[in-house]
Amino acid sequence: MEGTLPLIDKKALGIFLGMTYGISWLVAVFLYLGGGISEGGWTLRVGLLVLGLMLVPAAAALVASILTRDRAHLSIRLWPINPRPVLVFAVLAPVFFIVVYTVSVSLGYGVADWGLGALRARMPGPAEAGLQQQMPAPFLLIAGFLMSVVLGPTLFALIGLGTEIGWRAYLAQKLEPLGRWGAAAVSGLLWGICWFPLVLGVAWAGESTFFQALSLAIRISIAAALFGMLLAEVYRRSRHVALTSVLAGCFYAQEYGIWYYLIRQPDPLMTGPYGAVGIVGLALLVLIAFLVPRWERLIGIAPPPVEPAADSGA
Protein backbone atom coordinates (compact mmCIF):
# COMPACT_ATOMS: atom_id res chain seq x y z
CA MET A 1 0.00 0.00 0.00
CA GLU A 2 2.81 2.37 0.85
CA GLY A 3 4.27 2.01 -2.64
CA THR A 4 0.99 2.71 -4.41
CA LEU A 5 -0.20 5.77 -2.50
CA PRO A 6 2.21 8.19 -4.24
CA LEU A 7 0.71 7.14 -7.61
CA ILE A 8 -2.62 8.73 -6.66
CA ASP A 9 -3.03 12.27 -7.96
CA LYS A 10 -3.84 13.97 -4.67
CA LYS A 11 -4.19 17.41 -6.26
CA ALA A 12 -6.81 16.15 -8.71
CA LEU A 13 -8.70 14.34 -5.95
CA GLY A 14 -8.64 17.46 -3.78
CA ILE A 15 -10.07 19.60 -6.58
CA PHE A 16 -12.76 17.05 -7.42
CA LEU A 17 -13.85 16.39 -3.84
CA GLY A 18 -13.65 20.05 -2.84
CA MET A 19 -15.89 21.14 -5.70
CA THR A 20 -18.32 18.22 -5.40
CA TYR A 21 -18.66 18.35 -1.63
CA GLY A 22 -18.73 22.14 -1.52
CA ILE A 23 -21.57 22.55 -4.02
CA SER A 24 -23.56 19.56 -2.72
CA TRP A 25 -23.38 20.74 0.87
CA LEU A 26 -24.31 24.29 -0.09
CA VAL A 27 -27.40 22.85 -1.74
CA ALA A 28 -28.10 20.93 1.48
CA VAL A 29 -28.02 24.20 3.44
CA PHE A 30 -30.28 25.86 0.86
CA LEU A 31 -32.85 23.06 1.04
CA TYR A 32 -32.69 23.00 4.83
CA LEU A 33 -33.32 26.74 5.10
CA GLY A 34 -36.09 26.37 2.55
CA GLY A 35 -37.96 23.88 4.72
CA GLY A 36 -36.77 20.63 3.16
CA ILE A 37 -38.76 18.47 0.80
CA SER A 38 -41.85 17.05 2.41
CA GLU A 39 -44.31 14.80 0.60
CA GLY A 40 -45.74 16.80 -2.26
CA GLY A 41 -43.12 19.50 -1.71
CA TRP A 42 -41.30 19.03 -5.02
CA THR A 43 -41.46 22.33 -6.88
CA LEU A 44 -40.00 23.15 -10.28
CA ARG A 45 -37.19 25.07 -8.59
CA VAL A 46 -36.29 22.18 -6.32
CA GLY A 47 -36.49 19.72 -9.22
CA LEU A 48 -34.15 21.78 -11.37
CA LEU A 49 -31.80 22.18 -8.43
CA VAL A 50 -31.59 18.43 -7.91
CA LEU A 51 -31.07 17.83 -11.64
CA GLY A 52 -28.27 20.39 -11.63
CA LEU A 53 -26.76 18.67 -8.60
CA MET A 54 -26.51 15.43 -10.59
CA LEU A 55 -24.24 17.24 -13.09
CA VAL A 56 -21.83 18.57 -10.47
CA PRO A 57 -19.56 15.45 -10.35
CA ALA A 58 -19.02 15.57 -14.12
CA ALA A 59 -18.26 19.29 -13.96
CA ALA A 60 -15.87 18.72 -11.05
CA ALA A 61 -14.08 15.95 -12.97
CA LEU A 62 -13.71 18.23 -15.99
CA VAL A 63 -12.32 21.09 -13.90
CA ALA A 64 -9.90 18.78 -12.07
CA SER A 65 -8.71 17.26 -15.36
CA ILE A 66 -8.10 20.69 -16.89
CA LEU A 67 -6.32 22.13 -13.86
CA THR A 68 -4.04 19.10 -13.54
CA ARG A 69 -3.59 18.71 -17.33
CA ASP A 70 -4.82 15.12 -17.10
CA ARG A 71 -6.01 14.55 -20.65
CA ALA A 72 -6.51 10.81 -20.20
CA HIS A 73 -9.47 11.40 -17.89
CA LEU A 74 -11.14 13.84 -20.27
CA SER A 75 -12.01 10.91 -22.54
CA ILE A 76 -15.01 8.78 -21.59
CA ARG A 77 -16.68 5.86 -23.33
CA LEU A 78 -20.37 6.38 -24.00
CA TRP A 79 -21.09 4.59 -27.26
CA PRO A 80 -21.84 2.05 -28.65
CA ILE A 81 -23.89 0.20 -26.03
CA ASN A 82 -24.52 -3.53 -26.29
CA PRO A 83 -28.27 -4.05 -25.63
CA ARG A 84 -27.65 -7.37 -23.88
CA PRO A 85 -26.19 -5.99 -20.61
CA VAL A 86 -28.79 -3.21 -20.71
CA LEU A 87 -31.54 -5.83 -20.70
CA VAL A 88 -29.80 -7.71 -17.89
CA PHE A 89 -29.60 -4.56 -15.77
CA ALA A 90 -33.22 -3.67 -16.59
CA VAL A 91 -34.27 -7.07 -15.21
CA LEU A 92 -31.82 -7.16 -12.29
CA ALA A 93 -33.10 -3.96 -10.65
CA PRO A 94 -36.81 -4.92 -10.40
CA VAL A 95 -35.90 -8.47 -9.36
CA PHE A 96 -33.73 -7.04 -6.58
CA PHE A 97 -36.57 -4.82 -5.34
CA ILE A 98 -39.08 -7.66 -5.59
CA VAL A 99 -36.85 -9.86 -3.43
CA VAL A 100 -36.14 -7.07 -0.91
CA TYR A 101 -39.79 -6.17 -0.41
CA THR A 102 -40.98 -9.78 -0.47
CA VAL A 103 -38.54 -10.66 2.31
CA SER A 104 -39.48 -7.50 4.24
CA VAL A 105 -43.23 -8.18 4.04
CA SER A 106 -42.74 -11.88 4.84
CA LEU A 107 -40.88 -10.90 8.02
CA GLY A 108 -43.69 -8.55 9.01
CA TYR A 109 -41.90 -5.27 8.21
CA GLY A 110 -44.59 -3.95 5.88
CA VAL A 111 -47.99 -4.66 4.31
CA ALA A 112 -48.69 -5.01 0.59
CA ASP A 113 -51.57 -2.72 -0.44
CA TRP A 114 -52.72 -4.40 -3.65
CA GLY A 115 -55.55 -1.90 -3.93
CA LEU A 116 -53.03 0.97 -4.13
CA GLY A 117 -55.16 3.12 -1.86
CA ALA A 118 -52.42 5.71 -1.29
CA LEU A 119 -51.96 6.18 -5.02
CA ARG A 120 -55.68 6.45 -5.67
CA ALA A 121 -55.98 9.08 -2.95
CA ARG A 122 -53.56 11.30 -4.88
CA MET A 123 -55.24 10.80 -8.26
CA PRO A 124 -57.73 13.35 -9.62
CA GLY A 125 -61.31 12.70 -8.60
CA PRO A 126 -64.06 11.73 -11.06
CA ALA A 127 -65.31 15.30 -11.25
CA GLU A 128 -61.87 16.51 -12.35
CA ALA A 129 -60.72 13.81 -14.73
CA GLY A 130 -63.12 10.90 -14.63
CA LEU A 131 -60.21 8.49 -14.25
CA GLN A 132 -60.28 7.33 -10.66
CA GLN A 133 -63.13 4.87 -11.17
CA GLN A 134 -61.95 3.71 -14.59
CA MET A 135 -58.47 2.50 -13.66
CA PRO A 136 -58.48 -0.77 -11.71
CA ALA A 137 -55.67 -1.48 -9.29
CA PRO A 138 -54.08 -4.24 -11.42
CA PHE A 139 -53.81 -1.82 -14.34
CA LEU A 140 -52.16 0.83 -12.17
CA LEU A 141 -49.79 -1.73 -10.66
CA ILE A 142 -48.70 -3.18 -14.01
CA ALA A 143 -48.49 0.23 -15.69
CA GLY A 144 -46.42 1.67 -12.84
CA PHE A 145 -44.09 -1.31 -12.82
CA LEU A 146 -43.57 -1.31 -16.59
CA MET A 147 -43.03 2.44 -16.58
CA SER A 148 -40.21 2.12 -14.05
CA VAL A 149 -38.63 -0.68 -16.09
CA VAL A 150 -38.70 1.43 -19.27
CA LEU A 151 -37.64 4.72 -17.69
CA GLY A 152 -34.72 3.17 -15.77
CA PRO A 153 -32.29 2.51 -18.65
CA THR A 154 -33.46 5.62 -20.52
CA LEU A 155 -34.53 8.75 -18.64
CA PHE A 156 -33.09 7.88 -15.23
CA ALA A 157 -29.84 6.69 -16.81
CA LEU A 158 -29.52 10.01 -18.62
CA ILE A 159 -30.20 11.96 -15.42
CA GLY A 160 -27.55 9.99 -13.54
CA LEU A 161 -24.89 10.17 -16.27
CA GLY A 162 -23.13 13.18 -14.74
CA THR A 163 -22.84 11.39 -11.42
CA GLU A 164 -21.30 8.31 -13.04
CA ILE A 165 -18.83 10.36 -15.06
CA GLY A 166 -17.55 12.01 -11.91
CA TRP A 167 -17.67 9.31 -9.27
CA ARG A 168 -16.93 6.22 -11.35
CA ALA A 169 -15.19 7.21 -14.60
CA TYR A 170 -13.04 9.79 -12.80
CA LEU A 171 -12.72 9.21 -9.05
CA ALA A 172 -12.89 5.40 -8.90
CA GLN A 173 -10.44 5.15 -11.78
CA LYS A 174 -8.08 7.63 -10.10
CA LEU A 175 -8.11 5.47 -6.97
CA GLU A 176 -7.31 2.19 -8.75
CA PRO A 177 -3.69 2.16 -7.48
CA LEU A 178 -5.32 1.16 -4.17
CA GLY A 179 -6.48 -2.09 -5.78
CA ARG A 180 -9.94 -3.07 -6.98
CA TRP A 181 -11.39 -3.49 -3.47
CA GLY A 182 -9.67 -0.39 -2.11
CA ALA A 183 -10.65 1.85 -5.02
CA ALA A 184 -14.27 0.71 -4.93
CA ALA A 185 -14.52 0.96 -1.14
CA VAL A 186 -12.96 4.41 -0.87
CA SER A 187 -14.88 5.88 -3.81
CA GLY A 188 -18.12 4.35 -2.53
CA LEU A 189 -17.50 5.65 1.00
CA LEU A 190 -16.77 9.15 -0.31
CA TRP A 191 -19.96 9.05 -2.38
CA GLY A 192 -21.97 8.00 0.66
CA ILE A 193 -20.45 10.78 2.78
CA CYS A 194 -21.36 13.29 0.09
CA TRP A 195 -25.03 12.33 0.43
CA PHE A 196 -25.08 12.44 4.24
CA PRO A 197 -25.57 16.21 4.91
CA LEU A 198 -27.94 16.57 1.97
CA VAL A 199 -30.28 13.85 3.24
CA LEU A 200 -29.95 14.98 6.85
CA GLY A 201 -30.76 18.61 6.07
CA VAL A 202 -33.66 17.86 3.74
CA ALA A 203 -35.28 15.27 6.03
CA TRP A 204 -34.75 17.26 9.24
CA ALA A 205 -36.18 20.45 7.77
CA GLY A 206 -39.13 18.51 6.37
CA GLU A 207 -41.40 16.23 8.33
CA SER A 208 -38.84 14.20 10.31
CA THR A 209 -37.42 14.63 13.79
CA PHE A 210 -33.66 15.01 14.09
CA PHE A 211 -33.14 11.37 15.07
CA GLN A 212 -35.38 10.13 12.24
CA ALA A 213 -33.44 12.31 9.80
CA LEU A 214 -30.11 11.12 11.23
CA SER A 215 -31.15 7.48 10.93
CA LEU A 216 -32.26 8.00 7.32
CA ALA A 217 -29.04 9.84 6.43
CA ILE A 218 -26.88 7.07 7.93
CA ARG A 219 -28.81 4.31 6.17
CA ILE A 220 -28.79 6.09 2.79
CA SER A 221 -25.06 6.77 3.12
CA ILE A 222 -24.36 3.11 3.83
CA ALA A 223 -26.55 2.00 0.92
CA ALA A 224 -24.90 4.58 -1.36
CA ALA A 225 -21.43 3.38 -0.35
CA LEU A 226 -22.31 -0.24 -1.18
CA PHE A 227 -24.06 0.70 -4.42
CA GLY A 228 -21.07 2.86 -5.32
CA MET A 229 -18.80 -0.16 -4.87
CA LEU A 230 -21.02 -2.17 -7.22
CA LEU A 231 -20.98 0.59 -9.84
CA ALA A 232 -17.21 1.01 -9.50
CA GLU A 233 -16.62 -2.68 -10.19
CA VAL A 234 -18.96 -2.61 -13.19
CA TYR A 235 -17.03 0.36 -14.53
CA ARG A 236 -13.67 -1.30 -13.88
CA ARG A 237 -14.70 -4.37 -15.86
CA SER A 238 -16.34 -2.48 -18.72
CA ARG A 239 -14.70 0.98 -18.85
CA HIS A 240 -18.10 2.04 -20.20
CA VAL A 241 -19.64 4.88 -18.20
CA ALA A 242 -22.94 4.65 -20.07
CA LEU A 243 -23.39 1.07 -18.84
CA THR A 244 -22.79 2.06 -15.22
CA SER A 245 -25.27 4.89 -15.72
CA VAL A 246 -27.82 2.42 -17.09
CA LEU A 247 -27.37 0.17 -14.06
CA ALA A 248 -27.73 3.14 -11.71
CA GLY A 249 -30.76 4.44 -13.61
CA CYS A 250 -32.53 1.07 -13.40
CA PHE A 251 -32.17 1.07 -9.60
CA TYR A 252 -33.16 4.75 -9.30
CA ALA A 253 -36.34 4.12 -11.30
CA GLN A 254 -37.35 1.28 -9.00
CA GLU A 255 -36.54 3.35 -5.93
CA TYR A 256 -38.94 6.09 -7.02
CA GLY A 257 -41.45 3.75 -8.64
CA ILE A 258 -44.61 1.94 -7.61
CA TRP A 259 -43.10 0.44 -4.45
CA TYR A 260 -43.80 3.58 -2.41
CA TYR A 261 -47.53 3.08 -2.92
CA LEU A 262 -47.58 -0.72 -2.89
CA ILE A 263 -45.84 -1.29 0.47
CA ARG A 264 -47.62 0.47 3.33
CA GLN A 265 -46.72 0.81 7.00
CA PRO A 266 -43.11 -0.16 6.37
CA ASP A 267 -40.53 -0.35 9.12
CA PRO A 268 -37.95 2.20 7.85
CA LEU A 269 -35.11 0.46 9.67
CA MET A 270 -35.78 -2.83 7.89
CA THR A 271 -37.79 -2.26 4.70
CA GLY A 272 -36.78 -0.98 1.30
CA PRO A 273 -33.40 -0.24 -0.26
CA TYR A 274 -32.32 1.81 2.78
CA GLY A 275 -33.47 -0.70 5.38
CA ALA A 276 -31.47 -3.59 6.78
CA VAL A 277 -32.91 -6.04 4.24
CA GLY A 278 -31.97 -3.81 1.30
CA ILE A 279 -28.50 -3.06 2.67
CA VAL A 280 -27.79 -6.78 3.12
CA GLY A 281 -29.03 -7.35 -0.44
CA LEU A 282 -26.69 -4.68 -1.79
CA ALA A 283 -23.78 -6.20 0.12
CA LEU A 284 -24.52 -9.57 -1.50
CA LEU A 285 -24.58 -7.95 -4.96
CA VAL A 286 -21.20 -6.37 -4.25
CA LEU A 287 -19.72 -9.74 -3.24
CA ILE A 288 -21.11 -11.36 -6.39
CA ALA A 289 -19.72 -8.58 -8.59
CA PHE A 290 -16.25 -8.90 -7.05
CA LEU A 291 -15.97 -12.65 -6.52
CA VAL A 292 -17.65 -14.21 -9.57
CA PRO A 293 -15.03 -14.44 -12.35
CA ARG A 294 -15.77 -13.07 -15.82
CA TRP A 295 -19.47 -12.49 -15.19
CA GLU A 296 -19.25 -9.46 -17.46
CA ARG A 297 -18.54 -11.72 -20.45
CA LEU A 298 -21.63 -13.81 -19.67
CA ILE A 299 -23.92 -10.80 -20.01
CA GLY A 300 -22.24 -9.40 -23.11
CA ILE A 301 -19.90 -6.72 -21.77
CA ALA A 302 -16.93 -6.46 -24.14
CA PRO A 303 -13.39 -6.23 -22.77
CA PRO A 304 -12.40 -2.61 -22.10
CA PRO A 305 -10.14 -1.00 -24.69
CA VAL A 306 -6.45 -0.53 -23.98
CA GLU A 307 -6.08 2.90 -22.39
CA PRO A 308 -3.24 5.29 -23.09
CA ALA A 309 -0.91 6.21 -20.27
CA ALA A 310 -2.20 9.10 -18.18
CA ASP A 311 -0.70 12.48 -19.02
CA SER A 312 -0.89 14.15 -15.64
CA GLY A 313 0.73 17.39 -14.71
CA ALA A 314 0.41 16.74 -10.99
Side-chain angles (χ1 to χ4, degrees), residues 15 77 85 98 111 127 193 201 214:
I15 295 172
R77 187 178 173 207
I98 289 173
V111 178
I193 293 174
L214 180 62

PDB file of all heavy atoms in Angstrom, residues 15 77 85 98 111 127 193 201 214:
ATOM      1  N   ILE A  15      -9.232  18.700  -5.787  1.00  0.00           N
ATOM      2  CA  ILE A  15     -10.074  19.605  -6.581  1.00  0.00           C
ATOM      3  C   ILE A  15     -11.450  18.995  -6.790  1.00  0.00           C
ATOM      4  O   ILE A  15     -12.483  19.652  -6.613  1.00  0.00           O
ATOM      5  CB  ILE A  15      -9.397  19.909  -7.930  1.00  0.00           C
ATOM      6  CG1 ILE A  15      -8.107  20.690  -7.721  1.00  0.00           C
ATOM      7  CG2 ILE A  15     -10.347  20.686  -8.844  1.00  0.00           C
ATOM      8  CD1 ILE A  15      -7.289  20.848  -8.985  1.00  0.00           C
ATOM      9  N   ARG A  77     -16.072   6.773 -22.365  1.00  0.00           N
ATOM     10  CA  ARG A  77     -16.682   5.856 -23.326  1.00  0.00           C
ATOM     11  C   ARG A  77     -18.187   5.813 -23.102  1.00  0.00           C
ATOM     12  O   ARG A  77     -18.656   5.358 -22.074  1.00  0.00           O
ATOM     13  CB  ARG A  77     -16.067   4.473 -23.145  1.00  0.00           C
ATOM     14  CG  ARG A  77     -16.474   3.445 -24.186  1.00  0.00           C
ATOM     15  CD  ARG A  77     -15.757   2.146 -23.893  1.00  0.00           C
ATOM     16  NE  ARG A  77     -16.216   1.066 -24.741  1.00  0.00           N
ATOM     17  CZ  ARG A  77     -16.178  -0.216 -24.409  1.00  0.00           C
ATOM     18  NH1 ARG A  77     -15.685  -0.555 -23.218  1.00  0.00           N
ATOM     19  NH2 ARG A  77     -16.602  -1.152 -25.212  1.00  0.00           N
ATOM     20  N   PRO A  85     -26.323  -6.362 -22.024  1.00  0.00           N
ATOM     21  CA  PRO A  85     -26.191  -5.991 -20.610  1.00  0.00           C
ATOM     22  C   PRO A  85     -27.231  -4.982 -20.163  1.00  0.00           C
ATOM     23  O   PRO A  85     -27.619  -4.973 -18.987  1.00  0.00           O
ATOM     24  CB  PRO A  85     -24.771  -5.407 -20.526  1.00  0.00           C
ATOM     25  CG  PRO A  85     -24.408  -5.035 -21.912  1.00  0.00           C
ATOM     26  CD  PRO A  85     -25.110  -6.012 -22.789  1.00  0.00           C
ATOM     27  N   ILE A  98     -38.056  -6.657  -5.891  1.00  0.00           N
ATOM     28  CA  ILE A  98     -39.084  -7.658  -5.585  1.00  0.00           C
ATOM     29  C   ILE A  98     -38.626  -8.546  -4.437  1.00  0.00           C
ATOM     30  O   ILE A  98     -39.382  -8.819  -3.493  1.00  0.00           O
ATOM     31  CB  ILE A  98     -39.404  -8.503  -6.838  1.00  0.00           C
ATOM     32  CG1 ILE A  98     -40.173  -7.671  -7.864  1.00  0.00           C
ATOM     33  CG2 ILE A  98     -40.220  -9.742  -6.456  1.00  0.00           C
ATOM     34  CD1 ILE A  98     -40.367  -8.374  -9.193  1.00  0.00           C
ATOM     35  N   VAL A 111     -46.745  -4.038   4.790  1.00  0.00           N
ATOM     36  CA  VAL A 111     -47.986  -4.659   4.306  1.00  0.00           C
ATOM     37  C   VAL A 111     -48.173  -4.273   2.841  1.00  0.00           C
ATOM     38  O   VAL A 111     -48.058  -3.095   2.482  1.00  0.00           O
ATOM     39  CB  VAL A 111     -49.201  -4.204   5.131  1.00  0.00           C
ATOM     40  CG1 VAL A 111     -50.483  -4.822   4.577  1.00  0.00           C
ATOM     41  CG2 VAL A 111     -49.026  -4.569   6.596  1.00  0.00           C
ATOM     42  N   ALA A 127     -64.821  14.009 -10.752  1.00  0.00           N
ATOM     43  CA  ALA A 127     -65.314  15.300 -11.246  1.00  0.00           C
ATOM     44  C   ALA A 127     -64.238  16.064 -12.001  1.00  0.00           C
ATOM     45  O   ALA A 127     -64.530  16.876 -12.866  1.00  0.00           O
ATOM     46  CB  ALA A 127     -65.810  16.146 -10.071  1.00  0.00           C
ATOM     47  N   ILE A 193     -20.643   9.616   1.919  1.00  0.00           N
ATOM     48  CA  ILE A 193     -20.447  10.784   2.783  1.00  0.00           C
ATOM     49  C   ILE A 193     -20.999  12.040   2.119  1.00  0.00           C
ATOM     50  O   ILE A 193     -21.558  12.917   2.780  1.00  0.00           O
ATOM     51  CB  ILE A 193     -18.952  10.949   3.120  1.00  0.00           C
ATOM     52  CG1 ILE A 193     -18.483   9.789   4.007  1.00  0.00           C
ATOM     53  CG2 ILE A 193     -18.693  12.283   3.815  1.00  0.00           C
ATOM     54  CD1 ILE A 193     -16.993   9.784   4.262  1.00  0.00           C
ATOM     55  N   GLY A 201     -30.152  17.286   6.091  1.00  0.00           N
ATOM     56  CA  GLY A 201     -30.761  18.613   6.072  1.00  0.00           C
ATOM     57  C   GLY A 201     -32.150  18.614   5.504  1.00  0.00           C
ATOM     58  O   GLY A 201     -33.071  19.242   6.045  1.00  0.00           O
ATOM     59  N   LEU A 214     -31.451  11.671  11.064  1.00  0.00           N
ATOM     60  CA  LEU A 214     -30.108  11.123  11.228  1.00  0.00           C
ATOM     61  C   LEU A 214     -30.076   9.646  10.847  1.00  0.00           C
ATOM     62  O   LEU A 214     -29.150   9.190  10.154  1.00  0.00           O
ATOM     63  CB  LEU A 214     -29.655  11.298  12.671  1.00  0.00           C
ATOM     64  CG  LEU A 214     -28.252  10.781  13.008  1.00  0.00           C
ATOM     65  CD1 LEU A 214     -27.200  11.528  12.210  1.00  0.00           C
ATOM     66  CD2 LEU A 214     -27.992  10.909  14.510  1.00  0.00           C
TER      67      LEU A 214
END
